[in-house]
Amino acid sequence: MSSLPAKRRKLDHTSTSLDDSESESNEPQSAPNISKEAPAPPRPRHTKRTHNDDDAALYAGGIYKSSLFKLQVDELLREVAPNYAKRFCGLTEALHKLKGLIEGIEERDALSISDATEWLHKSHKITVPFPDPKPDKNAAYKLTYTRPSNVNVIGSYILRTMVKSDNTLSVDMLVVMPASIFQEKDYLNYRYFYKRAYYLACIAAGLQQSVKEEFDLAFEFLHGNELHPILILKPKSADATKPVLNYAIKIIPAAPQRLFAESKLHPTKNSVRSKDSAERESAVQLPTPFYNASIQSDCNFESYLKLLHSALKSSDGFKDACILGRIWLRQRGFASRISTGGFGHFEWAALTALLLKGGGAKDHSVLSPGYSSYQMFKAVLQFLSAHDLVANPVAYESIDYVASRPSGPVLFDGHRGQNLLYKMTPWSYHLLREEARASLSMLNDATFDQFESTFIIRTSQPLQRWDCIFKLSLPSQPIRAPSCDHMSSVAEFSLRVGEVLAEGLTDRIKIVDIKGPETTSWSIKSAAPSTLQPSLVVSVNFDPANIDRLVDHGPPAEERKRAAKFQKFWGEKAELRRFKDGSILESLVWSSGSSYSIFQSITTYLVKRHFGPEVAGSLKFIGEGFEHLLLGSVPSTKTFETLRQAFSAFEKQVRDLEGLPLQLRNLSPVCPQLRYSSIELPSFSPGQPLRNPADVLIQFEGSGRWPDDVVAIQRTKIAFLLKIGRLLEEADESTTTRLGLENEDKPLQNCAFLHVIYGTGAAFRLRIHNDREQILLERQIKDKSTNHRAREDAVLALSVYKKSFLQLPLHTQSIATHCTRFPLLSPTIRLVKMWFDQHMLAGHIRDEVIELLVARTFVQPHPWRTPSSTMTGFLRTLLSISRWDWRVEPLIVDFTGAMTSKVVDTINTRLEAWRKIDPAMNRTVLFAASNHDKTGTAFTDKGPSKLVASRMTALARSACKLVTEKGLELDPRSLFAASTADYDFVIHLSPHFDGNHRRKEASKPKYKNLEMHSEATLDIIGYQPVHSYIDELKKVYTDTVVLFHAELPGSFIAGLWNPQAVAPRPLKVNLAYSTRPAGVGGENDEVIQLDKSAILAEMARLGGDMVSEIVMHR
């Protein structure tokens, strides 16, 4: 068989990106002017560095044991570079043409606002994109158009720093307006922006007829800022046979550097004055930082051009560090658009360049020009995570900067008079810091390779990132007076919602994110579109330790000001209470329920109180649907405590037994019910005992009286179990014990178990663990005189022994411990198991493997933090399954956090050895290792097959695709819908034997005086007829069919024919399945083929009354 192909990592840049273009218009990486020649093709990226060997040493030093991470980064940088010749075909000629056309537009005399707008509309049908509020038509100043002072192409295109994307890649053309068209006080009251909008409309009028055959023209807000309309040109396809080119040209009007005095546009200054002179004189002029920064950003294009070019020349790693930052931001949903966080590639590059200039102690630079791209990238993350720029604003090269109380982060560039982060909101900045902290944690992990988590996996999918998402509409009337700082009603409402949620939810949530409606492009012949029914999407992450708290404590009654503020905020919900410690506090009491119901009730109350019933009525919550799919009302470990308590009583009773031949060492639970991970909740009562007994292992102290023969030990266990059963019945008359036999045809394996049924309904299945079995089996395997068949039986028995008696107790202990540590681990495991079961994979993949898959999501949660809801835990687990290449990657779960890189290397080496020994993967397909099982095969040596593993991956990928496509409209039930169309035949079972019928019978109420154990009731404990039927079919048709079954609802069994068995073949005697003549072979030999109808008839006969119908699809 050919060797396995090398794995290639693919950057997840799907069309779900939140950024609608890949240009960063403020990124002044440009040539001074457009060259007449096409740009020279870039040299290979790895030849850029002159100290490649030194870089390798830097990557490998300290954290990484080798240069693997550097090799991965270098490959990533090569892979993300787009094919410029193909993607931007004909762009150079188009840019030259546009530059010439813009410079040749006819100058216009100064006109009043009304005359200028009327002329554009009559002569060109163009509507000037004035920002709100619209200009006064009787204003004294006039609008004019003259030839631009400069036209340049800026951004990523010229320097080839773009990144592949399925979205439109944009090329930015900067048109610098001449200073002559502006006056000294044009920075006041939107005058600059009105003149800018008119200038842009004149450019659109000049280009409209000239390029109508080549481009579609439209207006758009740059980065969603309504003060910055731009002109966007999208190419048309000249030839219908050729695809439309997927790029756009953005024409951005800009102001000359230092057009206005920097002191006038300081963040603490006001530039929007009231029209009422009396009000203007009496009122305190509030600062307008966003308005001022919007003007300054237009004036600073050329200044930032020089800054970034200086950084490019001084540091070899700067360029690649910016590309890595761009990838990192995109995978986390950040971009320069206000709706996507306000922090994109330009902000990253400018911040990096500023840190190369200074920002450290004693005005030293934070970054060294000699840093490699990885070191520079990591240092920027360190800066973002370490500095709270909301509480402690940072100013560069600004001695006289006085910080006010900003609502958002402030990174003030004193040399240019601009807050670099002016488009960010408090919540987007907190999210950015959290992502930076999480990424630093990943990069500092010396054990596991976190390259994919850092750069490849997209974390911005809302259902995978957030625990609860809710929508709410804007109120019909503004909640407070509009801000003078050009804040739209949506922005004002968002800020107020953020304040109310932060004060009301306190430590119940870790982080919140608020997104408004996206801005879109519009025709140059119409006004900017307005959202008819704008709404907000609010996303939160819970704090599991506090989200379900029922009582909130406020300030004490003695602190009157704080108490009055608390009462004003909460209204009638606030009440004064005395607590056990004697304190009298303002308090809030909420109704008990799930985490989601408590959160919904608090949020609904807050919205109704502060924004009115109209807004509260529009609330729509998303996220709880996944918990509703679970069987049981309360998705937590509390539902399993009844059985755990019964087990504790059972253990105490066994330890107190007198008359046992040997001293008891320990009693170990080994079943999902006792580690909080069974799909169905363990329900029992005196009249309805536990249907599936909980498996328990009992181990005695060592003794030399045990036989020296494995088969004899198994027989001795029977005597021990009978003795234990007799003693238990004598100790408690309500206890019933029954001995059961298993593995009758495998004498070297455990052959007996004891059912212990208590009067309360609790039932346990007891097996004896004797450590002498392992010694005897290993001795038999090593004995060369043993025949081959006996040695194989011993190998099999040893494998089963290690799994059942060594690995299962450790696994159960770890899962139970972590379900207590992470309360949401238990419901997530149950939901993932339900998904496997609904898709009929649970019969092929052991419970322990599924539990390891989910546990890894919690103990190694990168690139996210530990899941804080069932929804995020479930969807992230599906994503990890869909990305798991089990052919070349082991599943490694570090329960303790103490696993070393050496151990990880050993596990990977063991997998490689298995693949060399068994390249066809006939024996071991999945490789699941943990701290307890470094072999990786304890729970996977007998399955699943390649067919089942491939189907698991395909189903997980389909589920993740559906989550991405549906987004917030996803119906959780659709992920669990399974089809039988893919199977060759379906065996429908009688309703009396399916899972739904059993649950209905168990839930039927019974009279108290009839709640007692009967012989019929005891007979069905542990009896699973459908499983027995499937096991019988598997024994008979091992090489003929592959069977699939879902426990819930369990109404049918699906099957696939083995392709090798179906193929016609020459007649042979003693075949293990029914055949029929298929024709005559080439050499006149009789040819036979599988008799499917006869086999299905045999299956029906074996099933008897259990089978109601068999449908054969093919």
Side-chain angles (χ1 to χ4, degrees):
M1 181 176 176
S2 61
S3 60
L4 292 170
K7 182 182 179 184
R8 293 178 62 85
R9 290 181 173 86
K10 183 179 180 182
L11 184 66
D12 185 1
H13 52 81
T14 60
S15 58
T16 59
S17 172
L18 296 174
D19 188 6
D20 62 348
S21 86
E22 288 299 317
S23 88
E24 300 292 346
S25 60
N26 281 28
E27 180 201 351
Q29 299 177 349
S30 73
N33 284 291
I34 300 178
S35 171
K36 292 295 182 182
E37 298 179 1
R43 291 179 295 174
R45 199 173 303 280
H46 63 274
T47 62
K48 168 78 176 175
R49 295 198 192 99
T50 57
H51 303 289
N52 208 31
D53 294 337
D54 292 340
D55 283 348
L58 288 171
Y59 276 87
I63 296 179
Y64 297 97
K65 60 187 177 296
S66 70
S67 59
L68 173 63
F69 195 90
K70 178 191 179 304
L71 296 175
Q72 291 172 319
V73 169
D74 286 345
E75 181 186 8
L76 174 66
L77 293 172
R78 289 192 297 270
E79 290 293 327
V80 298
N83 185 333
Y84 288 89
K86 182 178 180 180
R87 190 73 183 263
F88 298 99
C89 180
L91 176 62
T92 304
E93 294 78 9
L95 292 174
H96 285 301
K97 180 178 179 180
L98 287 174
K99 180 177 184 294
L101 290 173
I102 292 173
E103 291 176 341
I105 294 176
E106 181 182 357
E107 296 187 358
R108 301 293 176 184
D109 295 333
L111 298 172
S112 65
I113 293 177
S114 58
D115 291 341
T117 54
E118 184 179 357
W119 167 76
L120 278 172
H121 188 266
K122 284 186 176 180
S123 59
H124 300 282
K125 304 297 183 183
I126 290 179
T127 302
V128 181
F130 289 128
D132 290 326
K134 301 301 185 209
D136 186 355
K137 293 185 178 181
N138 299 321
Y141 58 89
K142 296 186 176 182
L143 307 179
T144 184
Y145 178 86
T146 60
R147 189 176 186 271
S149 59
N150 201 1
V151 179
N152 278 335
V153 175
I154 65 170
S156 308
Y157 172 73
I158 291 296
L159 289 184
R160 299 300 199 254
T161 56
M162 285 185 167
V163 172
K164 284 181 181 177
S165 174
D166 293 335
N167 300 307
T168 302
L169 293 179
S170 299
V171 179
D172 302 325
M173 176 174 282
L174 188 70
V175 178
V176 181
M177 299 176 289
S180 60
I181 68 173
F182 297 102
Q183 298 175 351
E184 182 183 358
K185 292 191 176 183
D186 277 352
Y187 69 91
L188 293 173
N189 296 345
Y190 296 90
R191 282 164 53 175
Y192 165 79
F193 294 109
Y194 296 149
K195 291 185 177 183
R196 181 188 184 278
Y198 175 73
Y199 197 91
L200 180 67
C202 289
I203 294 176
L207 296 178
Q208 184 178 16
Q209 294 299 323
S210 304
V211 299
K212 65 178 182 180
E213 301 296 332
E214 303 169 60
F215 294 97
D216 289 320
L217 275 65
F219 287 134
E220 185 177 277
F221 292 127
L222 179 63
H223 300 151
N225 186 349
E226 295 178 0
L227 296 175
H228 286 161
I230 61 173
L231 182 64
I232 184 167
L233 290 79
K234 295 184 178 180
K236 297 180 179 179
S237 179
D239 187 351
T241 60
K242 296 182 180 179
V244 178
L245 297 173
N246 191 20
Y247 69 82
I249 300 174
K250 292 182 177 179
I251 297 179
I252 306 168
Q257 189 174 1
R258 303 190 186 279
L259 175 63
F260 305 110
E262 290 184 6
S263 60
K264 301 294 185 181
L265 295 173
H266 195 275
T268 58
K269 298 292 184 178
N270 176 280
S271 299
V272 182
R273 312 290 167 79
S274 173
K275 295 182 179 180
D276 188 346
S277 59
E279 182 181 346
R280 184 169 63 248
E281 293 177 1
S282 61
V284 177
Q285 297 293 339
L286 297 175
T288 54
F290 182 86
Y291 177 96
N292 297 350
S294 297
I295 296 179
Q296 285 289 59
S297 65
D298 265 8
C299 298
N300 286 328
F301 279 97
E302 294 179 345
S303 181
Y304 278 114
L305 166 71
K306 297 175 183 178
L307 174 67
L308 295 189
H309 272 294
S310 174
L312 281 168
K313 292 179 181 179
S314 64
S315 173
D316 289 339
F318 177 77
K319 181 177 176 181
D320 286 348
C322 290
I323 296 177
L324 292 177
R326 184 177 202 148
I327 296 169
W328 181 84
L329 289 169
R330 190 177 69 176
Q331 299 305 87
R332 282 146 186 81
F334 283 96
S336 289
R337 295 182 65 85
I338 295 175
S339 60
T340 51
F343 191 94
H345 182 224
F346 163 71
E347 286 78 15
W348 178 283
L351 173 60
T352 307
L354 290 175
L355 295 179
L356 282 167
K357 300 288 185 181
K362 298 181 180 180
D363 293 331
H364 292 298
S365 62
V366 175
L367 305 179
S368 169
Y371 277 1
S372 67
S373 58
Y374 164 69
Q375 287 178 309
M376 201 171 292
F377 167 78
K378 188 176 178 182
V380 175
L381 291 182
Q382 179 67 42
F383 177 87
L384 291 172
S385 64
H387 292 78
D388 186 353
L389 300 178
V390 175
N392 302 299
V394 172
Y396 285 98
E397 300 179 2
S398 179
I399 300 175
D400 59 345
Y401 176 76
V402 178
S404 59
R405 297 187 61 184
S407 60
V410 174
L411 182 64
F412 188 71
D413 183 359
H415 180 70
R416 295 157 191 86
Q418 179 180 337
N419 175 19
L420 195 62
L421 309 181
Y422 77 98
K423 297 193 298 293
M424 297 196 77
T425 58
W427 48 86
S428 68
Y429 176 68
H430 291 151
L431 178 60
L432 178 68
R433 289 191 70 204
E434 177 60 27
E435 292 288 359
R437 283 193 288 261
S439 295
L440 277 177
S441 175
M442 290 186 283
L443 295 175
N444 291 330
D445 185 355
T447 303
F448 296 97
D449 176 18
Q450 300 294 350
F451 173 80
E452 288 201 1
S453 298
T454 306
F455 296 112
I456 305 300
I457 300 177
R458 181 179 292 273
T459 67
S460 59
Q461 211 293 323
L463 296 182
Q464 294 169 353
R465 172 184 273 182
W466 304 106
D467 297 325
C468 184
I469 303 169
F470 62 91
K471 299 179 181 179
L472 71 165
S473 300
L474 267 67
S476 55
Q477 299 295 327
I479 55 175
R480 58 186 179 189
S483 169
C484 61
D485 191 25
H486 191 76
M487 291 185 68
S488 64
S489 58
V490 174
E492 285 275 6
F493 185 57
S494 300
L495 193 60
R496 181 59 182 151
V497 168
E499 293 171 353
V500 169
L501 292 179
E503 185 173 351
L505 295 173
T506 61
D507 60 350
R508 292 180 185 271
I509 59 175
K510 292 181 178 179
I511 197 166
V512 63
D513 185 53
I514 305 174
K515 292 188 182 300
E518 287 276 358
T519 60
T520 59
S521 59
W522 69 96
S523 171
I524 61 175
K525 298 182 180 180
S526 61
S530 59
T531 307
L532 296 178
Q533 293 182 336
S535 62
L536 298 183
V537 177
V538 184
S539 310
V540 297
N541 272 344
F542 298 152
D543 184 345
N546 301 311
I547 185 61
D548 55 357
R549 184 176 62 235
L550 297 180
V551 179
D552 286 328
H553 295 167
E558 296 81 10
E559 300 182 16
R560 295 187 178 180
K561 288 186 178 180
R562 291 182 57 203
K565 181 181 178 183
F566 186 87
Q567 293 171 2
K568 181 180 179 181
F569 182 84
W570 287 103
E572 61 184 15
K573 193 68 178 178
E575 57 184 50
L576 205 59
R577 287 197 165 209
R578 181 190 295 273
F579 294 90
K580 292 182 179 180
D581 59 357
S583 60
I584 302 176
L585 304 175
E586 294 287 348
S587 305
L588 305 166
V589 180
W590 306 100
S591 302
S592 60
S594 66
S595 300
Y596 280 100
S597 64
I598 296 173
F599 173 79
Q600 288 182 20
S601 61
I602 297 174
T603 303
T604 303
Y605 179 83
L606 287 171
V607 172
K608 185 176 182 179
R609 169 154 182 81
H610 292 277
F611 306 112
E614 176 191 359
V615 180
S618 68
L619 283 170
K620 178 183 178 182
F621 292 88
I622 301 167
E624 191 179 13
F626 287 88
E627 286 192 354
H628 287 162
L629 295 172
L630 286 172
L631 303 175
S633 57
V634 183
S636 70
T637 57
K638 296 178 182 178
T639 53
F640 292 88
E641 285 303 321
T642 305
L643 184 60
R644 294 285 298 188
Q645 293 171 4
F647 170 74
S648 299
F650 173 54
E651 181 180 18
K652 184 178 183 302
Q653 186 179 27
V654 172
R655 289 186 180 277
D656 293 341
L657 290 178
E658 297 181 358
L660 288 176
L662 296 174
Q663 187 69 29
L664 179 67
R665 181 184 293 178
N666 58 49
L667 208 64
S668 306
V670 291
C671 72
Q673 298 175 95
L674 290 173
R675 55 178 182 257
Y676 310 104
S677 62
S678 60
I679 300 180
E680 295 187 272
L681 300 177
S683 175
F684 56 89
S685 63
Q688 189 69 40
L690 192 65
R691 187 177 185 87
N692 296 320
D695 292 308
V696 178
L697 299 182
I698 184 172
Q699 185 178 13
F700 296 98
E701 295 289 347
S703 172
R705 291 183 292 173
W706 284 96
D708 284 336
D709 182 74
V710 177
V711 178
I713 289 177
Q714 307 304 340
R715 299 297 182 266
T716 307
K717 286 182 181 181
I718 297 177
F720 260 90
L721 291 174
L722 290 172
K723 178 70 173 179
I724 294 171
R726 189 161 53 251
L727 293 175
L728 287 172
E729 289 180 344
E730 292 174 356
D732 185 355
E733 293 182 355
S734 65
T735 303
T736 304
T737 62
R738 291 195 169 194
L739 185 73
L741 299 179
E742 60 184 357
N743 300 321
E744 295 92 340
D745 55 342
K746 301 171 183 176
L748 296 181
Q749 298 182 26
N750 185 78
C751 67
F753 57 85
L754 182 70
H755 278 175
V756 181
I757 305 101
Y758 282 90
T760 59
F764 301 95
R765 183 183 290 118
L766 193 64
R767 293 183 176 90
I768 296 177
H769 171 208
N770 182 8
D771 51 12
R772 187 166 178 77
E773 290 181 56
Q774 181 177 358
I775 300 173
L776 296 175
L777 289 171
E778 290 175 347
R779 185 183 302 170
Q780 184 173 343
I781 294 171
K782 293 177 182 178
D783 187 0
K784 296 183 179 180
S785 63
T786 307
N787 63 64
H788 180 70
R789 178 63 182 272
R791 188 179 291 112
E792 283 188 347
D793 292 342
V795 170
L796 176 61
L798 182 61
S799 174
V800 173
Y801 169 87
K802 289 182 177 180
K803 175 181 64 182
S804 303
F805 297 107
L806 300 182
Q807 297 297 336
L808 264 179
L810 294 174
H811 176 83
T812 300
Q813 182 181 6
S814 292
I815 294 296
T817 301
H818 283 78
C819 284
T820 305
R821 177 185 172 191
F822 303 114
L824 293 161
L825 177 59
S826 172
T828 304
I829 290 176
R830 295 175 57 211
L831 194 59
V832 174
K833 283 187 177 181
M834 184 181 294
W835 182 83
F836 274 88
D837 183 71
Q838 290 295 306
H839 292 289
M840 296 185 285
L841 299 176
H844 297 267
I845 302 175
R846 288 181 60 94
D847 282 354
E848 293 78 17
V849 178
I850 301 174
E851 290 163 7
L852 288 175
L853 286 166
V854 182
R856 185 180 62 172
T857 304
F858 280 78
V859 299
Q860 296 152 233
H862 301 312
W864 297 277
R865 295 294 191 181
T866 302
S868 44
S869 69
T870 305
M871 177 178 70
T872 54
F874 171 73
L875 294 180
R876 292 175 192 177
T877 302
L878 287 188
L879 180 64
S880 67
I881 294 173
S882 69
R883 297 186 60 86
W884 180 25
D885 187 355
W886 36 263
R887 300 172 302 165
V888 294
E889 287 182 16
L891 171 68
I892 304 176
V893 182
D894 183 8
F895 283 111
T896 62
M899 190 175 288
T900 63
S901 57
K902 185 178 180 180
V903 174
V904 173
D905 289 342
T906 302
I907 294 172
N908 281 287
T909 303
R910 191 180 295 273
L911 174 61
E912 293 175 5
W914 265 109
R915 293 297 182 249
K916 291 179 180 178
I917 296 172
D918 181 23
M921 291 181 281
N922 293 321
R923 177 175 175 182
T924 301
V925 178
L926 303 184
F927 201 83
S930 65
N931 305 80
H932 318 307
D933 174 33
K934 297 179 178 62
T935 66
T937 58
F939 304 118
T940 60
D941 59 340
K942 295 300 178 183
S945 63
K946 281 192 298 183
L947 170 68
V948 174
S950 299
R951 182 162 180 80
M952 172 191 72
T953 303
L955 288 170
R957 288 175 178 172
S958 297
C960 292
K961 182 181 179 182
L962 185 63
V963 171
T964 301
E965 291 175 349
K966 294 293 185 180
L968 301 183
E969 304 302 321
L970 175 72
D971 183 358
R973 294 172 297 180
S974 62
L975 298 178
F976 295 81
S979 171
T980 59
D982 295 334
Y983 298 96
D984 295 333
F985 61 89
V986 179
I987 304 174
H988 293 273
L989 303 178
S990 170
H992 296 286
F993 293 91
D994 63 21
N996 287 333
H997 177 77
R998 295 199 302 270
R999 285 192 299 279
K1000 289 177 182 178
E1001 288 294 324
S1003 62
K1004 284 183 179 179
K1006 294 180 173 61
Y1007 294 105
K1008 289 290 183 180
N1009 60 340
L1010 296 179
E1011 287 192 351
M1012 60 183 69
H1013 295 332
S1014 64
E1015 288 297 321
T1017 303
L1018 295 179
D1019 285 342
I1020 66 171
I1021 294 178
Y1023 176 57
Q1024 297 177 314
V1026 175
H1027 287 188
S1028 300
Y1029 176 52
I1030 294 175
D1031 290 341
E1032 185 68 22
L1033 292 179
K1034 287 180 179 179
K1035 289 180 182 179
V1036 176
Y1037 305 106
T1038 302
D1039 300 323
T1040 309
V1041 298
V1042 181
L1043 299 175
F1044 299 85
H1045 173 64
E1047 183 68 23
L1048 305 172
S1051 58
F1052 58 85
I1053 302 170
L1056 292 173
W1057 302 110
N1058 186 339
Q1060 296 180 354
V1062 171
R1065 61 181 62 194
L1067 176 64
K1068 292 183 179 180
V1069 296
N1070 296 327
L1071 287 174
Y1073 49 84
S1074 297
T1075 59
R1076 62 184 178 85
V1080 180
E1083 299 180 359
N1084 296 327
D1085 293 333
E1086 292 187 0
V1087 178
I1088 59 171
Q1089 65 181 13
L1090 195 71
D1091 192 345
K1092 298 178 181 179
S1093 300
I1095 291 176
L1096 293 179
E1098 293 171 1
M1099 292 181 177
R1101 188 166 59 254
L1102 284 173
D1105 295 338
M1106 191 182 303
V1107 177
S1108 62
E1109 181 188 12
I1110 296 181
V1111 178
M1112 185 168 66
H1113 295 158
R1114 46 189 167 269

